[in-house]
PDB file of all heavy atoms in Angstrom:
ATOM      1  N   GLY A 268      91.168 110.779  38.120  1.00 91.00           N
ATOM      2  CA  GLY A 268      90.405 109.708  38.914  1.00 91.00           C
ATOM      3  C   GLY A 268      89.526 110.342  40.020  1.00 91.00           C
ATOM      4  O   GLY A 268      89.175 109.658  40.830  1.00 91.00           O
ATOM      5  N   PHE A 269      89.513 111.682  39.999  1.00 90.00           N
ATOM      6  CA  PHE A 269      88.803 112.446  41.054  1.00 90.00           C
ATOM      7  C   PHE A 269      89.179 112.170  42.463  1.00 90.00           C
ATOM      8  O   PHE A 269      88.395 112.321  43.427  1.00 90.00           O
ATOM      9  CB  PHE A 269      87.255 112.127  40.867  1.00 90.00           C
ATOM     10  CG  PHE A 269      86.816 112.471  39.512  1.00 90.00           C
ATOM     11  CD1 PHE A 269      86.505 111.477  38.644  1.00 90.00           C
ATOM     12  CD2 PHE A 269      86.618 113.813  39.145  1.00 90.00           C
ATOM     13  CE1 PHE A 269      86.028 111.689  37.311  1.00 90.00           C
ATOM     14  CE2 PHE A 269      86.115 114.065  37.783  1.00 90.00           C
ATOM     15  CZ  PHE A 269      85.850 112.946  36.918  1.00 90.00           C
ATOM     16  N   MET A 270      90.500 111.894  42.686  1.00 89.00           N
ATOM     17  CA  MET A 270      91.033 111.762  44.033  1.00 89.00           C
ATOM     18  C   MET A 270      91.346 113.126  44.679  1.00 89.00           C
ATOM     19  O   MET A 270      91.428 113.164  45.879  1.00 89.00           O
ATOM     20  CB  MET A 270      92.303 110.911  43.922  1.00 89.00           C
ATOM     21  CG  MET A 270      92.009 109.449  43.533  1.00 89.00           C
ATOM     22  SD  MET A 270      93.424 108.462  43.344  1.00 89.00           S
ATOM     23  CE  MET A 270      93.736 108.117  45.083  1.00 89.00           C
ATOM     24  N   TRP A 271      91.567 114.168  43.885  1.00 92.00           N
ATOM     25  CA  TRP A 271      91.872 115.445  44.348  1.00 92.00           C
ATOM     26  C   TRP A 271      90.963 116.536  43.708  1.00 92.00           C
ATOM     27  O   TRP A 271      90.635 116.372  42.526  1.00 92.00           O
ATOM     28  CB  TRP A 271      93.248 115.897  43.977  1.00 92.00           C
ATOM     29  CG  TRP A 271      94.315 114.953  44.564  1.00 92.00           C
ATOM     30  CD1 TRP A 271      95.001 113.943  43.870  1.00 92.00           C
ATOM     31  CD2 TRP A 271      94.771 115.005  45.855  1.00 92.00           C
ATOM     32  NE1 TRP A 271      95.878 113.258  44.711  1.00 92.00           N
ATOM     33  CE2 TRP A 271      95.821 113.966  45.985  1.00 92.00           C
ATOM     34  CE3 TRP A 271      94.617 115.724  46.932  1.00 92.00           C
ATOM     35  CZ2 TRP A 271      96.501 113.718  47.120  1.00 92.00           C
ATOM     36  CZ3 TRP A 271      95.297 115.510  48.212  1.00 92.00           C
ATOM     37  CH2 TRP A 271      96.269 114.512  48.145  1.00 92.00           C
ATOM     38  N   HIS A 272      90.626 117.522  44.497  1.00 92.00           N
ATOM     39  CA  HIS A 272      89.898 118.706  44.042  1.00 92.00           C
ATOM     40  C   HIS A 272      91.034 119.695  43.878  1.00 92.00           C
ATOM     41  O   HIS A 272      91.837 119.925  44.735  1.00 92.00           O
ATOM     42  CB  HIS A 272      88.866 119.276  45.076  1.00 92.00           C
ATOM     43  CG  HIS A 272      87.824 118.165  45.440  1.00 92.00           C
ATOM     44  ND1 HIS A 272      86.857 117.866  44.572  1.00 92.00           N
ATOM     45  CD2 HIS A 272      87.631 117.472  46.512  1.00 92.00           C
ATOM     46  CE1 HIS A 272      86.069 116.968  45.094  1.00 92.00           C
ATOM     47  NE2 HIS A 272      86.477 116.707  46.375  1.00 92.00           N
ATOM     48  N   CYS A 273      91.092 120.310  42.643  1.00 93.00           N
ATOM     49  CA  CYS A 273      92.183 121.211  42.321  1.00 93.00           C
ATOM     50  C   CYS A 273      91.669 122.644  42.149  1.00 93.00           C
ATOM     51  O   CYS A 273      90.643 122.892  41.596  1.00 93.00           O
ATOM     52  CB  CYS A 273      92.770 120.868  41.021  1.00 93.00           C
ATOM     53  SG  CYS A 273      93.407 119.145  40.953  1.00 93.00           S
ATOM     54  N   PHE A 274      92.379 123.620  42.737  1.00 93.00           N
ATOM     55  CA  PHE A 274      92.199 125.013  42.682  1.00 93.00           C
ATOM     56  C   PHE A 274      93.387 125.772  42.385  1.00 93.00           C
ATOM     57  O   PHE A 274      94.430 125.631  43.129  1.00 93.00           O
ATOM     58  CB  PHE A 274      91.613 125.515  44.034  1.00 93.00           C
ATOM     59  CG  PHE A 274      90.446 124.686  44.502  1.00 93.00           C
ATOM     60  CD1 PHE A 274      90.609 123.702  45.452  1.00 93.00           C
ATOM     61  CD2 PHE A 274      89.131 125.012  44.129  1.00 93.00           C
ATOM     62  CE1 PHE A 274      89.522 122.933  45.871  1.00 93.00           C
ATOM     63  CE2 PHE A 274      88.038 124.252  44.568  1.00 93.00           C
ATOM     64  CZ  PHE A 274      88.219 123.225  45.465  1.00 93.00           C
ATOM     65  N   PRO A 275      93.466 126.654  41.311  1.00 93.00           N
ATOM     66  CA  PRO A 275      94.617 127.505  41.159  1.00 93.00           C
ATOM     67  C   PRO A 275      94.846 128.435  42.358  1.00 93.00           C
ATOM     68  O   PRO A 275      93.866 128.923  42.950  1.00 93.00           O
ATOM     69  CB  PRO A 275      94.202 128.339  39.916  1.00 93.00           C
ATOM     70  CG  PRO A 275      93.251 127.520  39.247  1.00 93.00           C
ATOM     71  CD  PRO A 275      92.477 126.821  40.273  1.00 93.00           C
ATOM     72  N   ALA A 276      96.062 128.526  42.801  1.00 92.00           N
ATOM     73  CA  ALA A 276      96.352 129.213  44.043  1.00 92.00           C
ATOM     74  C   ALA A 276      96.417 130.749  43.711  1.00 92.00           C
ATOM     75  O   ALA A 276      97.516 131.462  43.862  1.00 92.00           O
ATOM     76  CB  ALA A 276      97.635 128.792  44.655  1.00 92.00           C
ATOM     77  N   GLN A 277      95.326 131.245  43.182  1.00 91.00           N
ATOM     78  CA  GLN A 277      95.182 132.710  42.821  1.00 91.00           C
ATOM     79  C   GLN A 277      94.190 133.400  43.779  1.00 91.00           C
ATOM     80  O   GLN A 277      93.152 132.862  44.069  1.00 91.00           O
ATOM     81  CB  GLN A 277      94.677 132.811  41.438  1.00 91.00           C
ATOM     82  CG  GLN A 277      95.574 132.111  40.370  1.00 91.00           C
ATOM     83  CD  GLN A 277      96.967 132.643  40.363  1.00 91.00           C
ATOM     84  OE1 GLN A 277      97.156 133.887  40.407  1.00 91.00           O
ATOM     85  NE2 GLN A 277      97.932 131.702  40.396  1.00 91.00           N
ATOM     86  N   LYS A 278      94.632 134.541  44.282  1.00 89.00           N
ATOM     87  CA  LYS A 278      93.887 135.321  45.298  1.00 89.00           C
ATOM     88  C   LYS A 278      92.432 135.532  44.878  1.00 89.00           C
ATOM     89  O   LYS A 278      91.497 135.173  45.697  1.00 89.00           O
ATOM     90  CB  LYS A 278      94.605 136.528  45.667  1.00 89.00           C
ATOM     91  CG  LYS A 278      93.945 137.329  46.763  1.00 89.00           C
ATOM     92  CD  LYS A 278      94.819 138.324  47.435  1.00 89.00           C
ATOM     93  CE  LYS A 278      95.160 139.654  46.937  1.00 89.00           C
ATOM     94  NZ  LYS A 278      95.893 140.525  47.716  1.00 89.00           N
ATOM     95  N   PRO A 279      92.099 135.988  43.693  1.00 87.00           N
ATOM     96  CA  PRO A 279      90.711 136.244  43.349  1.00 87.00           C
ATOM     97  C   PRO A 279      89.857 135.018  43.497  1.00 87.00           C
ATOM     98  O   PRO A 279      88.806 135.030  43.983  1.00 87.00           O
ATOM     99  CB  PRO A 279      90.850 136.750  41.930  1.00 87.00           C
ATOM    100  CG  PRO A 279      92.148 137.323  41.753  1.00 87.00           C
ATOM    101  CD  PRO A 279      93.073 136.398  42.595  1.00 87.00           C
ATOM    102  N   LEU A 280      90.398 133.852  42.990  1.00 88.00           N
ATOM    103  CA  LEU A 280      89.627 132.663  43.010  1.00 88.00           C
ATOM    104  C   LEU A 280      89.459 132.166  44.468  1.00 88.00           C
ATOM    105  O   LEU A 280      88.378 131.864  44.904  1.00 88.00           O
ATOM    106  CB  LEU A 280      90.237 131.518  42.171  1.00 88.00           C
ATOM    107  CG  LEU A 280      89.599 130.157  42.294  1.00 88.00           C
ATOM    108  CD1 LEU A 280      88.193 130.154  41.759  1.00 88.00           C
ATOM    109  CD2 LEU A 280      90.441 129.161  41.582  1.00 88.00           C
ATOM    110  N   LEU A 281      90.524 131.991  45.158  1.00 88.00           N
ATOM    111  CA  LEU A 281      90.491 131.473  46.598  1.00 88.00           C
ATOM    112  C   LEU A 281      89.635 132.308  47.498  1.00 88.00           C
ATOM    113  O   LEU A 281      89.098 131.840  48.387  1.00 88.00           O
ATOM    114  CB  LEU A 281      91.903 131.272  47.075  1.00 88.00           C
ATOM    115  CG  LEU A 281      92.777 130.196  46.362  1.00 88.00           C
ATOM    116  CD1 LEU A 281      94.117 130.127  46.957  1.00 88.00           C
ATOM    117  CD2 LEU A 281      92.105 128.822  46.417  1.00 88.00           C
ATOM    118  N   ASN A 282      89.699 133.633  47.267  1.00 85.00           N
ATOM    119  CA  ASN A 282      88.860 134.521  48.121  1.00 85.00           C
ATOM    120  C   ASN A 282      87.355 134.322  47.785  1.00 85.00           C
ATOM    121  O   ASN A 282      86.484 134.607  48.718  1.00 85.00           O
ATOM    122  CB  ASN A 282      89.177 136.018  47.816  1.00 85.00           C
ATOM    123  CG  ASN A 282      90.414 136.468  48.570  1.00 85.00           C
ATOM    124  OD1 ASN A 282      90.732 135.882  49.657  1.00 85.00           O
ATOM    125  ND2 ASN A 282      91.050 137.391  48.081  1.00 85.00           N
ATOM    126  N   ARG A 283      86.958 133.876  46.726  1.00 84.00           N
ATOM    127  CA  ARG A 283      85.563 133.676  46.383  1.00 84.00           C
ATOM    128  C   ARG A 283      85.011 132.380  46.818  1.00 84.00           C
ATOM    129  O   ARG A 283      83.836 132.131  46.807  1.00 84.00           O
ATOM    130  CB  ARG A 283      85.321 133.799  44.857  1.00 84.00           C
ATOM    131  CG  ARG A 283      85.362 135.240  44.409  1.00 84.00           C
ATOM    132  CD  ARG A 283      84.725 135.410  43.001  1.00 84.00           C
ATOM    133  NE  ARG A 283      85.283 134.459  41.990  1.00 84.00           N
ATOM    134  CZ  ARG A 283      86.343 134.599  41.152  1.00 84.00           C
ATOM    135  NH1 ARG A 283      86.908 135.753  41.223  1.00 84.00           N
ATOM    136  NH2 ARG A 283      86.689 133.699  40.241  1.00 84.00           N
ATOM    137  N   LEU A 284      85.969 131.406  46.978  1.00 84.00           N
ATOM    138  CA  LEU A 284      85.412 130.016  47.490  1.00 84.00           C
ATOM    139  C   LEU A 284      85.288 129.994  48.916  1.00 84.00           C
ATOM    140  O   LEU A 284      85.936 130.588  49.703  1.00 84.00           O
ATOM    141  CB  LEU A 284      86.512 129.011  46.989  1.00 84.00           C
ATOM    142  CG  LEU A 284      86.769 128.911  45.486  1.00 84.00           C
ATOM    143  CD1 LEU A 284      87.954 127.889  45.150  1.00 84.00           C
ATOM    144  CD2 LEU A 284      85.488 128.334  44.787  1.00 84.00           C
ATOM    145  N   HIS A 285      84.373 129.096  49.331  1.00 80.00           N
ATOM    146  CA  HIS A 285      84.131 128.913  50.761  1.00 80.00           C
ATOM    147  C   HIS A 285      84.599 127.575  51.157  1.00 80.00           C
ATOM    148  O   HIS A 285      83.960 126.527  50.742  1.00 80.00           O
ATOM    149  CB  HIS A 285      82.638 129.080  51.038  1.00 80.00           C
ATOM    150  CG  HIS A 285      82.083 130.402  50.721  1.00 80.00           C
ATOM    151  ND1 HIS A 285      82.335 131.434  51.558  1.00 80.00           N
ATOM    152  CD2 HIS A 285      81.346 130.934  49.657  1.00 80.00           C
ATOM    153  CE1 HIS A 285      81.721 132.604  50.986  1.00 80.00           C
ATOM    154  NE2 HIS A 285      81.163 132.236  49.800  1.00 80.00           N
ATOM    155  N   PHE A 286      85.680 127.575  51.954  1.00 84.00           N
ATOM    156  CA  PHE A 286      86.371 126.297  52.365  1.00 84.00           C
ATOM    157  C   PHE A 286      85.844 125.991  53.729  1.00 84.00           C
ATOM    158  O   PHE A 286      85.505 126.892  54.528  1.00 84.00           O
ATOM    159  CB  PHE A 286      87.798 126.443  52.389  1.00 84.00           C
ATOM    160  CG  PHE A 286      88.437 126.586  51.017  1.00 84.00           C
ATOM    161  CD1 PHE A 286      88.761 127.861  50.487  1.00 84.00           C
ATOM    162  CD2 PHE A 286      88.617 125.432  50.216  1.00 84.00           C
ATOM    163  CE1 PHE A 286      89.234 127.965  49.302  1.00 84.00           C
ATOM    164  CE2 PHE A 286      89.203 125.605  48.918  1.00 84.00           C
ATOM    165  CZ  PHE A 286      89.544 126.962  48.423  1.00 84.00           C
ATOM    166  N   GLU A 287      85.842 124.610  54.011  1.00 83.00           N
ATOM    167  CA  GLU A 287      85.609 124.321  55.377  1.00 83.00           C
ATOM    168  C   GLU A 287      86.603 124.880  56.364  1.00 83.00           C
ATOM    169  O   GLU A 287      87.758 125.097  55.897  1.00 83.00           O
ATOM    170  CB  GLU A 287      85.593 122.726  55.593  1.00 83.00           C
ATOM    171  CG  GLU A 287      84.549 121.965  54.833  1.00 83.00           C
ATOM    172  CD  GLU A 287      84.685 120.487  55.015  1.00 83.00           C
ATOM    173  OE1 GLU A 287      84.926 120.031  56.177  1.00 83.00           O
ATOM    174  OE2 GLU A 287      84.510 119.805  54.020  1.00 83.00           O
ATOM    175  N   HIS A 288      86.348 125.057  57.613  1.00 81.00           N
ATOM    176  CA  HIS A 288      87.257 125.726  58.535  1.00 81.00           C
ATOM    177  C   HIS A 288      88.518 125.040  58.592  1.00 81.00           C
ATOM    178  O   HIS A 288      89.623 125.647  58.712  1.00 81.00           O
ATOM    179  CB  HIS A 288      86.610 125.668  59.941  1.00 81.00           C
ATOM    180  CG  HIS A 288      87.552 126.344  60.994  1.00 81.00           C
ATOM    181  ND1 HIS A 288      87.697 127.684  61.012  1.00 81.00           N
ATOM    182  CD2 HIS A 288      88.275 125.769  61.999  1.00 81.00           C
ATOM    183  CE1 HIS A 288      88.698 127.892  61.945  1.00 81.00           C
ATOM    184  NE2 HIS A 288      88.967 126.771  62.548  1.00 81.00           N
ATOM    185  N   LYS A 289      88.585 123.691  58.508  1.00 81.00           N
ATOM    186  CA  LYS A 289      89.888 122.925  58.575  1.00 81.00           C
ATOM    187  C   LYS A 289      90.793 123.273  57.395  1.00 81.00           C
ATOM    188  O   LYS A 289      92.020 123.036  57.481  1.00 81.00           O
ATOM    189  CB  LYS A 289      89.630 121.433  58.641  1.00 81.00           C
ATOM    190  CG  LYS A 289      88.935 120.911  57.454  1.00 81.00           C
ATOM    191  CD  LYS A 289      88.603 119.399  57.738  1.00 81.00           C
ATOM    192  CE  LYS A 289      87.667 118.935  56.647  1.00 81.00           C
ATOM    193  NZ  LYS A 289      87.033 117.571  57.100  1.00 81.00           N
ATOM    194  N   PHE A 290      90.298 123.810  56.239  1.00 89.00           N
ATOM    195  CA  PHE A 290      91.053 124.250  55.125  1.00 89.00           C
ATOM    196  C   PHE A 290      91.203 125.717  55.059  1.00 89.00           C
ATOM    197  O   PHE A 290      92.233 126.250  54.477  1.00 89.00           O
ATOM    198  CB  PHE A 290      90.386 123.742  53.891  1.00 89.00           C
ATOM    199  CG  PHE A 290      90.235 122.322  53.775  1.00 89.00           C
ATOM    200  CD1 PHE A 290      88.974 121.738  53.503  1.00 89.00           C
ATOM    201  CD2 PHE A 290      91.264 121.428  53.980  1.00 89.00           C
ATOM    202  CE1 PHE A 290      88.812 120.379  53.422  1.00 89.00           C
ATOM    203  CE2 PHE A 290      91.069 119.983  53.894  1.00 89.00           C
ATOM    204  CZ  PHE A 290      89.802 119.511  53.615  1.00 89.00           C
ATOM    205  N   GLN A 291      90.390 126.521  55.612  1.00 89.00           N
ATOM    206  CA  GLN A 291      90.288 127.942  55.415  1.00 89.00           C
ATOM    207  C   GLN A 291      91.667 128.631  55.972  1.00 89.00           C
ATOM    208  O   GLN A 291      92.135 129.469  55.311  1.00 89.00           O
ATOM    209  CB  GLN A 291      89.112 128.672  56.031  1.00 89.00           C
ATOM    210  CG  GLN A 291      89.000 130.140  55.610  1.00 89.00           C
ATOM    211  CD  GLN A 291      88.886 130.390  54.124  1.00 89.00           C
ATOM    212  OE1 GLN A 291      87.968 129.783  53.597  1.00 89.00           O
ATOM    213  NE2 GLN A 291      89.713 131.130  53.572  1.00 89.00           N
ATOM    214  N   SER A 292      92.043 128.238  57.192  1.00 86.00           N
ATOM    215  CA  SER A 292      93.280 128.865  57.716  1.00 86.00           C
ATOM    216  C   SER A 292      94.488 128.551  56.893  1.00 86.00           C
ATOM    217  O   SER A 292      95.361 129.372  56.758  1.00 86.00           O
ATOM    218  CB  SER A 292      93.436 128.498  59.177  1.00 86.00           C
ATOM    219  OG  SER A 292      93.721 127.161  59.365  1.00 86.00           O
ATOM    220  N   ALA A 293      94.536 127.260  56.292  1.00 89.00           N
ATOM    221  CA  ALA A 293      95.697 126.947  55.366  1.00 89.00           C
ATOM    222  C   ALA A 293      95.596 127.809  54.204  1.00 89.00           C
ATOM    223  O   ALA A 293      96.679 128.211  53.736  1.00 89.00           O
ATOM    224  CB  ALA A 293      95.607 125.404  55.040  1.00 89.00           C
ATOM    225  N   VAL A 294      94.447 128.024  53.605  1.00 91.00           N
ATOM    226  CA  VAL A 294      94.305 128.916  52.446  1.00 91.00           C
ATOM    227  C   VAL A 294      94.818 130.322  52.771  1.00 91.00           C
ATOM    228  O   VAL A 294      95.526 131.039  52.076  1.00 91.00           O
ATOM    229  CB  VAL A 294      92.960 128.904  51.833  1.00 91.00           C
ATOM    230  CG1 VAL A 294      92.682 129.952  50.817  1.00 91.00           C
ATOM    231  CG2 VAL A 294      92.578 127.518  51.170  1.00 91.00           C
ATOM    232  N   ASP A 295      94.369 130.842  53.881  1.00 89.00           N
ATOM    233  CA  ASP A 295      94.710 132.185  54.333  1.00 89.00           C
ATOM    234  C   ASP A 295      96.263 132.262  54.520  1.00 89.00           C
ATOM    235  O   ASP A 295      96.838 133.270  54.174  1.00 89.00           O
ATOM    236  CB  ASP A 295      94.029 132.608  55.617  1.00 89.00           C
ATOM    237  CG  ASP A 295      92.486 132.664  55.349  1.00 89.00           C
ATOM    238  OD1 ASP A 295      92.085 132.938  54.263  1.00 89.00           O
ATOM    239  OD2 ASP A 295      91.721 132.586  56.449  1.00 89.00           O
ATOM    240  N   THR A 296      96.819 131.253  55.160  1.00 87.00           N
ATOM    241  CA  THR A 296      98.302 131.288  55.346  1.00 87.00           C
ATOM    242  C   THR A 296      99.022 131.262  54.015  1.00 87.00           C
ATOM    243  O   THR A 296      99.982 131.948  53.845  1.00 87.00           O
ATOM    244  CB  THR A 296      98.672 130.035  56.151  1.00 87.00           C
ATOM    245  OG1 THR A 296      97.984 130.054  57.377  1.00 87.00           O
ATOM    246  CG2 THR A 296     100.129 130.074  56.456  1.00 87.00           C
ATOM    247  N   LEU A 297      98.589 130.397  53.066  1.00 90.00           N
ATOM    248  CA  LEU A 297      99.158 130.411  51.712  1.00 90.00           C
ATOM    249  C   LEU A 297      99.087 131.745  50.984  1.00 90.00           C
ATOM    250  O   LEU A 297     100.045 132.275  50.436  1.00 90.00           O
ATOM    251  CB  LEU A 297      98.526 129.415  50.852  1.00 90.00           C
ATOM    252  CG  LEU A 297      98.893 129.291  49.385  1.00 90.00           C
ATOM    253  CD1 LEU A 297     100.368 128.987  49.245  1.00 90.00           C
ATOM    254  CD2 LEU A 297      98.089 128.267  48.634  1.00 90.00           C
ATOM    255  N   LEU A 298      97.931 132.403  51.224  1.00 89.00           N
ATOM    256  CA  LEU A 298      97.823 133.800  50.483  1.00 89.00           C
ATOM    257  C   LEU A 298      98.667 134.781  51.225  1.00 89.00           C
ATOM    258  O   LEU A 298      99.253 135.689  50.459  1.00 89.00           O
ATOM    259  CB  LEU A 298      96.335 134.184  50.671  1.00 89.00           C
ATOM    260  CG  LEU A 298      95.317 133.447  49.753  1.00 89.00           C
ATOM    261  CD1 LEU A 298      93.918 133.881  50.080  1.00 89.00           C
ATOM    262  CD2 LEU A 298      95.665 133.662  48.344  1.00 89.00           C
TER     263      LEU A 298
END
């Protein structure tokens, strides 16, 4: 229903995506 945007938590993919600042530090912490 398009309530969520989904991204595999894989380093090559997440490193190529540009997230808003409010999400970027969370992505970096997960990595």
